[in-house]
Amino acid sequence: SYPRSGTTWLRFLLYETLTGEDARFGDIRSAVPSVGKQADARAVLGDEGRLVQTHERFYDRDRKVVYAVRDARSVVVSEYSWQQRLRVYPGTLDAFVEDFIRGRSNPWGSWGDHIDFWRNSECARKGLLHQVRYEDLRSDTENVFRGVLEFLEADVDAERVRAAIQSNSLQGMRAKEDRAKQEGWRPTVRGDIRFVNTGTTAGWRTKLSPEQVTRLEERFGPTMRSLGYL
């Protein structure tokens, strides 16, 4: 996924569903690690299959890809908050929006280029890419998440799926974040900005100015339309 597209939530859901264990911040990397940290990852799918999370635009062999997308207007607001939380971006939201539009807000390029890469990739042409809109996962969690599990050919009991969804609701995720902070998780970040934010799908409406929205829609309009965001 592009950063701040709901990947952490999806990782928590997958971890808890496939392992039957409580998903906790810091622990999910044992079964759903970021790329580069997968050497000792646990096998959680059939035939010793593993799950690896990445923001990179790279595909070198046949493998299934679950690709999470989110409205660019929501992503820019969420990423700005996240970078302020980590104390890596001291500038204004207006300046950040311009960096985001130019693909300079993070090492992974622009939102539109990232989506175009994966939707036109070899895995997409071969039917090995399963796209998940964050907004759909939020509004119809069980059915959309079941689609992910079916794509991964993961045979999981329905009750376990429902339990994982309940455990990792917005309130559940926030409670896990609070518990992790009490246990010393990421002590150097700003305590006044949460990692698990509001979870809204249209919070950008109260965060972005009309001018910022126009700039984003002018830059990413075709891609946003193709995804149903315009």
Side-chain angles (χ1 to χ4, degrees):
S1 73
Y2 195 78
R4 308 307 294 172
S5 297
T7 320
T8 299
W9 182 32
L10 189 54
R11 289 171 75 193
F12 269 64
L13 289 172
L14 286 166
Y15 179 97
E16 200 152 317
T17 301
L18 297 174
T19 67
E21 301 168 6
D22 181 38
R24 297 162 57 99
F25 282 91
D27 293 342
I28 59 171
R29 66 172 65 106
S30 70
V32 196
S34 296
V35 68
K37 300 177 182 179
Q38 73 272 19
D40 298 320
R42 296 161 58 182
V44 291
L45 296 169
D47 298 324
E48 298 298 302
R50 295 180 297 170
L51 292 171
V52 180
Q53 180 268 336
T54 184
H55 296 312
E56 302 292 344
R57 287 182 284 175
F58 179 77
Y59 188 82
D60 65 343
R61 70 184 76 171
D62 284 351
R63 62 185 64 166
K64 290 188 173 185
V65 174
V66 176
Y67 186 57
V69 299
R70 188 181 187 185
D71 189 327
R73 295 164 296 191
S74 294
V75 171
V76 71
V77 170
S78 181
E79 190 182 355
Y80 177 66
S81 176
W82 177 64
Q83 291 201 21
Q84 285 205 311
R85 178 176 181 270
L86 296 178
R87 307 179 195 273
V88 298
Y89 194 91
T92 65
L93 176 59
D94 199 52
F96 188 83
V97 169
E98 289 304 309
D99 284 343
F100 182 86
I101 287 170
R102 296 174 183 174
R104 297 176 182 174
S105 63
N106 61 53
W108 298 284
S110 81
W111 177 87
D113 290 347
H114 199 280
I115 289 173
D116 289 344
F117 171 85
W118 282 106
R119 294 175 82 195
N120 296 305
S121 64
E122 183 179 358
C123 64
R125 292 193 297 271
K126 291 182 175 181
L128 296 175
L129 183 139
H130 182 76
Q131 180 180 287
V132 178
R133 291 198 336 161
Y134 172 81
E135 295 78 8
D136 297 334
L137 187 62
R138 179 61 66 192
S139 65
D140 189 11
T141 306
E142 184 170 345
N143 284 327
V144 174
F145 184 54
R146 281 186 184 282
V148 172
L149 295 173
E150 289 171 7
F151 174 73
L152 295 174
E153 300 179 77
D155 185 15
V156 184
D157 179 80
E159 287 306 312
R160 180 183 283 189
V161 173
R162 294 190 187 102
I165 291 171
Q166 178 63 33
S167 173
N168 295 288
S169 65
L170 178 61
Q171 294 77 13
M173 291 284 288
R174 285 188 150 208
K176 290 179 180 187
E177 179 186 358
D178 291 339
R179 182 173 63 185
K181 285 192 290 188
Q182 293 171 0
E183 295 172 350
W185 179 66
R186 291 188 172 179
T188 61
V189 303
R190 284 180 56 175
D192 59 322
I193 301 177
R194 299 192 69 106
F195 180 88
V196 181
N197 216 317
T198 61
T200 61
T201 57
W204 58 268
R205 296 183 185 277
T206 61
K207 302 290 186 180
L208 298 174
S209 70
E211 293 76 18
Q212 291 166 344
V213 172
T214 297
R215 291 280 289 126
L216 289 161
E217 292 177 355
E218 286 177 346
R219 171 64 177 86
F220 301 121
T223 302
M224 292 177 73
R225 273 196 252 352
S226 71
L227 290 168
Y229 294 133
L230 287 180

